[in-house]
Amino acid sequence: AQSVTQLGSHVSVSEGALVLLRCNYSSSVPPYLFWYVQYPNQGLQLLLKYTTGATLVKGINGFEAEFKKSETSFHLTKPSAHMSDAAEYFCAVTRMDSSYKLIFGSGTRLLVRP
Amino acid sequence: ETGVTQSPTHLIKTRGQQVTLRCSSQSGHNTVSWYQQALGQGPQFIFQYYREEENGRGNFPPRFSGLQFPNYSSELNVNALELDDSALYLCASSAGQGFSSAYEQYFGPGTRLTVT
């Protein structure tokens, strides 16, 4: 069975600082991994995804994530935080059955200090 | 191109009542998935519809039911509402079945349901 753990329910960084949001997964088969962002009172927006191939994945808004099989991790990073990055971030893995449903972590709220 | 829309945006119901939430999928998409997001938690998969047939269900009781229409829009129905049903309900649309249904999944803004 697939599952996702996001370490840290809240992460606070200064504007311009490195953003690092942690995600570890559990999967008995090669996973498909996703990061979504949710702004207040909005739905989820896909930031980036890993399926196969290159393990360093670049997404929108300057975010990237690296799939590390040996560490079962898919951490999200951004070199320099902007105030507009303040939001809730969710890591997700697909369930490998006919529905390919997304299994989400509990989320990390990113706070950006001026 | 119209994105995923959901209605209503907010809803207040009383315990024991029934509710219907609606979702219009993005143009060209024939798969709709529903998720429940309780406050402070990640979304949880309720079920998925592909071409009007249920195609996978999460750990939700039978009082959660759904429909998909020929135009691929969808409804989520919840009977006998309980206080714990208070949540943001998200609809996501995608094209195709299987992997492609997760690969490119577009979420609507959600319906906030409050049960009192």
Side-chain angles (χ1 to χ4, degrees):
Chain A
Q2 288 79 28
S3 66
V4 173
T5 301
Q6 291 185 242
L7 297 177
S9 59
H10 291 80
V11 170
S12 180
V13 300
S14 297
E15 191 173 19
L18 171 71
V19 175
L20 171 61
L21 304 183
R22 300 179 186 273
C23 173
N24 288 88
Y25 68 89
S26 171
S27 179
S28 57
V29 298
Y32 300 140
L33 296 157
F34 302 79
W35 275 99
Y36 282 85
V37 61
Q38 186 175 36
Y39 297 101
N41 301 315
Q42 294 187 28
L44 302 175
Q45 181 182 9
L46 180 65
L47 278 177
L48 49 80
K49 56 182 176 282
Y50 169 79
T51 54
T52 58
T55 56
L56 182 61
V57 180
K58 295 186 183 299
I60 62 172
N61 301 338
F63 284 93
E64 61 182 37
E66 187 171 9
F67 170 60
K68 292 187 176 181
K69 185 178 179 181
S70 62
E71 299 178 7
T72 61
S73 69
F74 191 58
H75 301 331
L76 182 70
T77 61
K78 182 174 181 178
S80 176
H82 294 170
M83 296 297 292
S84 60
D85 294 328
E88 187 92 20
Y89 291 80
F90 293 95
C91 182
V93 63
T94 49
R95 174 169 162 170
M96 307 302 277
D97 60 13
S98 62
S99 71
Y100 280 85
K101 73 175 186 182
L102 292 171
I103 299 169
F104 288 89
S106 55
T108 297
R109 182 165 297 278
L110 177 65
L111 307 171
V112 182
R113 304 185 304 271
Chain B
E1 182 177 274
T2 305
V4 179
T5 60
Q6 293 186 243
S7 63
T9 54
H10 294 85
L11 201 54
I12 299 175
K13 288 287 189 178
T14 302
R15 188 171 52 184
Q17 287 187 315
Q18 178 266 344
V19 69
T20 297
L21 310 182
R22 295 178 175 84
C23 170
S24 292
S25 57
Q26 185 164 310
S27 177
H29 286 181
N30 52 16
T31 300
V32 172
S33 302
W34 285 91
Y35 292 83
Q36 181 197 64
Q37 185 180 14
L39 195 62
Q41 298 182 23
Q44 291 197 345
F45 177 75
I46 303 175
F47 44 55
Q48 182 185 90
Y49 280 84
Y50 171 68
R51 291 186 175 180
E52 303 177 59
E53 297 288 331
E54 187 177 289
N55 180 45
R57 187 179 182 92
N59 294 325
F60 282 82
R63 59 190 185 84
F64 285 78
S65 62
L67 282 173
Q68 187 178 32
F69 300 100
N71 66 355
Y72 304 128
S73 65
S74 178
E75 287 183 354
L76 165 64
N77 299 289
V78 186
N79 294 321
L81 284 167
E82 300 178 359
L83 296 179
D84 285 348
D85 295 334
S86 295
L88 180 68
Y89 287 85
L90 295 165
C91 161
S93 79
S94 52
Q97 192 179 20
F99 167 64
S100 62
S101 68
Y103 189 82
E104 291 289 349
Q105 193 163 152
Y106 295 90
F107 283 80
T111 293
R112 174 77 60 191
L113 173 64
T114 301
V115 182
T116 62

